[in-house]
Every structure is written in structure tokens, then in C-alpha cells.
């Protein structure tokens, strides 16, 4: 519809063919999180944040999941289907699936979530099941939202800068509306890993 209307568009955080965009490198960001978990000694790693294949217009979830799978495979690891949470990208949705995960006889030592909201849900579910975070299970989020560093949460996560991305996107949009030539290539910003209190080295022995 926007194409047919001829409206200038700049996307933020998600890439669409033919439109300028400003985003982080989602693959590199998820690789940072996954490699960090592996460096801590985790080998049994779960993942929260898959979406149905029918949602083809959202590239971000697929980029993050693909990077997670690639890094795991490069280290001789795999995430079994029962440790892969397909949820609605909300804290409540992730908590429902994570409660089922932690009810299993054997659960991962670390769960990586594709958003902070899902990370909060996993964190809540672990605590509701009486698990120590990060003693029994580490949790990693994605985004570094405003409350990720709050007391009681202190979520390890990958930071992106939405304000910076928004400023860059608005600058490009103003250029387009004023008739100035705009490079259609993406602006891709580098992510940053922010280590907080929800991650720790994997224990050799733990409750299962």
C-alpha cells in the first residue's frame, strides 16, 4: 500500500527490500549472545523466540534464530525441539512455555531469548519453579530495554540503540521528503553485549 501511494518510507529495526532501513546486525548480535553462553561453559542451551514460517514479512526473528543455530552448529551443539520455545514475543507468552520447559526432568543450563520481554518471561518462570538464576539456569535477552538493568531483573542482554536508530531514520526520511537523494543501502549498527546478573558459568553438577 505504501509503495502504491508513493509515500517515502524508512524502516527501523527490520529490513524490507527496496526501502532504506536503519537496524543493527541481528545475526551478529545473536552470535554475540550465543558465543558468550558457550564461553561460559554452557552446552545445553534453549532458545525462546521462534515464529511461524508464515510470517514472512518479519525478517528479524529469522535472522536471530539462524545466527543462534549457526553458532551452535559451529561448536558441535544443537538445541532440541523441546527446548525451543515458539511464543508470541511477550513476557507472558514466554513464561507459559518456559514453565513447561522447567517442568521437564531435564532442562537447559541457559536459555537465550530473542527479546528482553521473552527473557523476562523465562526469568519469571525459572523463579516460579524455584530455580536459582543464574545458579541453575542462565538467561540472556536481546535489546537492552529500559528496565533490563532494573534491580531484581539485571538481565544480561544484547544492546541496540533505538534512539540512535530513530534519529538516523528520521534524518533519511527528511531527506527523502525534501527531494534529496538518499542512498537505498541499509545503515547497520554494531551491537554490544551487556553482561549483568542473570548469567554465570555452567555448573558441572546442578539440579535437573
Amino acid at each position: 500500500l505504501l509503495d502504491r501511494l508513493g509515500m517515502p518510507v524508512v524502516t527501523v529495526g527490520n529490513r524490507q527490500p527496496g526501502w532504506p532501513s536503519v537496524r543493527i546486525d541481528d545475526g551478529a548480535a545473536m552470535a554475540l549472545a550465543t558465543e558468550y553462553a558457550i564461553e561460559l561453559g554452557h552446552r545445553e542451551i534453549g532458545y525462546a523466540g521462534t515464529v511461524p514460517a508464515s510470517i514472512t514479512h518479519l525478517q528479524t526473528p529469522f535472522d536471530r534464530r539462524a545466527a543462534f543455530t549457526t553458532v551452535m552448529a559451529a561448536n558441535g551443539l544443537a538445541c532440541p525441539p523441546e527446548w525451543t520455545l515458539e511464543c508470541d514475543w511477550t513476557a507472558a507468552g514466554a513464561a507459559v512455555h518456559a514453565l513447561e520447559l522447567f517442568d521437564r526432568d531435564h532442562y537447559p543450563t541457559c536459555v537465550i531469548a530473542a527479546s528482553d520481554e521473552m527473557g523476562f518471561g523465562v526469568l519469571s518462570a525459572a523463579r516460579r519453579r524455584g530455580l536459582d538464576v543464574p545458579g541453575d539456569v542462565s538467561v540472556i535477552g536481546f535489546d537492552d530495554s529500559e528496565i533490563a538493568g532494573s534491580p531484581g531483573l539485571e538481565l544480561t542482554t544484547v544492546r541496540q540503540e533505538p534512539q540512535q536508530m530513530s534519529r538516523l531514520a528520521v534524518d533519511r526520511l527528511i531527506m527523502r521528503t525534501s527531494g534529496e537523494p538518499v542512498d537505498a543501502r541499509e545503515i547497520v549498527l554494531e551491537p554490544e553485549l551487556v553482561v549483568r546478573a542473570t548469567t554465570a558459568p555452567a555448573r558441572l553438577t546442578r539440579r535437573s
Side-chain angles (χ1 to χ4, degrees):
L1 176 61
L2 293 172
D3 280 335
R4 290 199 301 270
L5 292 173
M7 298 182 67
V9 176
V10 178
T11 65
V12 179
N14 190 51
R15 53 192 172 97
Q16 290 289 337
W19 288 347
S21 67
V22 182
R23 63 182 183 88
I24 63 167
D25 186 329
D26 286 291
M30 182 55 72
L32 270 179
T34 309
E35 288 165 355
Y36 176 66
I38 294 171
E39 288 170 3
L40 288 177
H42 294 282
R43 298 295 178 267
E44 299 177 316
I45 303 173
Y47 186 83
T50 64
V51 296
S54 60
I55 307 181
T56 56
H57 64 288
L58 294 177
Q59 188 62 40
T60 297
F62 298 106
D63 288 345
R64 294 180 186 180
R65 174 71 188 282
F68 170 77
T69 302
T70 297
V71 172
M72 291 282 284
N75 287 274
L77 305 174
C79 176
E82 61 269 24
W83 290 357
T84 302
L85 310 184
E86 183 177 302
C87 35
D88 61 1
W89 283 58
T90 66
V96 169
H97 292 275
L99 286 170
E100 297 174 357
L101 173 66
F102 296 132
D103 280 339
R104 293 181 176 275
D105 292 336
H106 190 68
Y107 54 83
T109 64
C110 179
V111 177
I112 299 175
S115 75
D116 282 352
E117 287 78 6
M118 289 184 288
F120 299 148
V122 173
L123 180 61
S124 172
R127 289 172 173 170
R128 286 172 63 183
R129 288 297 182 257
L131 303 179
D132 177 71
V133 179
D136 293 312
V137 59
S138 289
V139 180
I140 301 176
F142 196 116
D143 288 331
D144 195 26
S145 56
E146 289 186 2
I147 65 171
S150 300
L153 293 175
E154 299 178 274
L155 182 69
T156 293
T157 185
V158 181
R159 174 178 294 160
Q160 57 178 328
E161 297 286 354
Q163 292 183 345
Q164 179 187 12
M165 289 192 291
S166 297
R167 283 194 297 269
L168 291 169
V170 170
D171 287 343
R172 296 192 115 194
L173 193 59
I174 291 173
M175 291 173 66
R176 296 197 70 180
T177 55
S178 62
E180 296 181 49
V182 178
D183 191 338
R185 289 179 298 179
E186 300 172 311
I187 296 178
V188 182
L189 306 177
E190 290 297 317
E192 176 189 356
L193 180 69
V194 181
V195 177
R196 295 193 178 101
T198 60
T199 47
R203 290 182 176 178
L204 296 178
T205 60
R206 63 172 176 84
R207 182 170 46 178
S208 63

